[in-house]
Amino acid sequence: MNSRVALQLAGVDRHYGQGDRLLTILKGADFSLRSGEIVALVAPSGTGKSTLLHIAGLLEKPDGGDVIVNGHSCAQLGDEERTAIRRNEIGFVYQFHHLLPEFSALENIMMPQLIGGLPRSEARERAKQLLDYMRIGHRADHRPSELSGGEQQRVAIARAVANAPIVLLADEPTGNLDPETAGYVFEALQALVRQSGLAALIATHNLELAGRMDRKVTIEDGKVRELR
């Protein structure tokens, strides 16, 4: 496994105001994710899984500490710089696929590449390659409503890695799928991580899938802890 640290949370704090009191979600949280590694984030609802993913993905700013993406400290960056890193270095997959309904599977995967400035011909070719890799190349011209749940989620994964990010963050990516389809989607995701050297953090309630990842972590008392 590549020893390079792709993502690091260093002493991260996150608080929210709730009426007249302060609700602490993360308190001095530390976490490292290495290239080529797939890690399960397993914790009960309300413990801060989504908050941690949002902070790791630069969607929220921490109240203290730092987020380091591909060696770049992000704590003091402005919105434009954070957006640029998010666009180029981080891919997101959610429980619901969030595909654009009026576009085909191929066009959905092309979209982030075109926004990133890649010529249309190159974006199309890479989108085709990703669909083939996810074993749904034959569904390239179908719109999301014409795809099964598993196919939709594989398109969403392909879209998330279309710009070759360093880090992939996924929030319950198989949560809406039946067990057999969930296993198939996870296998495709795992193969993609191994082949590309991505660093992947996957929040999941599926303990069977979590057991197939390289490590498992949880959130306890505002800190990230390893699970054995």
Side-chain angles (χ1 to χ4, degrees):
M1 183 183 294
N2 192 322
S3 62
R4 181 168 63 91
V5 175
L7 170 70
Q8 183 178 1
L9 272 59
V12 165
D13 297 326
R14 188 68 173 113
H15 314 289
Y16 296 102
Q18 193 175 65
D20 57 355
R21 68 190 185 97
L22 200 63
L23 185 64
T24 297
I25 304 297
L26 298 174
K27 181 172 59 179
D30 296 312
F31 173 71
S32 293
L33 184 66
R34 297 182 179 277
S35 299
E37 182 180 40
I38 183 167
V39 175
L41 174 59
V42 183
S45 297
T47 55
K49 291 197 306 296
S50 294
T51 296
L52 188 147
L53 288 172
H54 289 168
I55 289 174
L58 307 184
L59 294 169
E60 290 185 33
K61 285 189 176 184
D63 296 304
D66 197 2
V67 179
I68 301 161
V69 179
N70 198 23
H72 301 293
S73 171
C74 300
Q76 303 303 319
L77 297 181
D79 288 342
E80 287 189 11
E81 294 167 304
R82 291 164 64 86
T83 299
I85 291 176
R86 205 163 51 236
R87 180 186 301 131
N88 299 318
E89 309 280 5
I90 304 171
F92 296 91
V93 182
Y94 300 99
Q95 183 170 350
F96 186 71
H97 56 77
H98 293 297
L99 298 173
L100 299 171
E102 65 271 31
F103 294 105
S104 69
L106 186 76
E107 291 166 337
N108 266 279
I109 300 170
M110 289 174 62
M111 198 66 65
Q113 301 177 76
L114 296 174
I115 292 171
L118 201 67
R120 178 170 289 273
S121 59
E122 292 183 35
R124 176 176 290 275
E125 184 59 31
R126 176 157 172 78
K128 285 181 178 179
Q129 291 173 355
L130 284 167
L131 283 171
D132 286 341
Y133 192 84
M134 302 299 283
R135 300 182 185 177
I136 46 173
H138 61 293
R139 308 290 273 168
D141 295 329
H142 290 70
R143 294 187 179 184
S145 62
E146 301 170 316
L147 303 175
S148 70
E151 289 170 339
Q152 290 170 345
Q153 203 62 326
R154 277 180 279 164
V155 174
I157 292 169
R159 180 184 60 183
V161 301
N163 283 338
I166 302 297
V167 175
L168 180 67
L169 302 173
D171 195 355
E172 295 287 349
T174 62
N176 286 331
L177 307 176
D178 65 81
E180 184 177 355
T181 304
Y184 193 78
V185 169
F186 175 75
E187 286 175 10
L189 175 58
Q190 189 175 44
L192 190 63
V193 168
R194 300 295 186 232
Q195 186 272 339
S196 65
L198 266 172
L201 178 62
I202 315 294
T204 182
H205 283 107
N206 189 321
L207 297 181
E208 190 274 328
L209 291 185
R212 293 160 61 182
M213 302 190 207
D214 298 319
R215 291 190 288 133
K216 300 189 293 290
V217 298
T218 191
I219 301 173
E220 292 178 355
D221 299 324
K223 298 186 183 299
V224 180
R225 303 194 187 282
E226 294 280 337
L227 285 173
R228 301 301 177 191

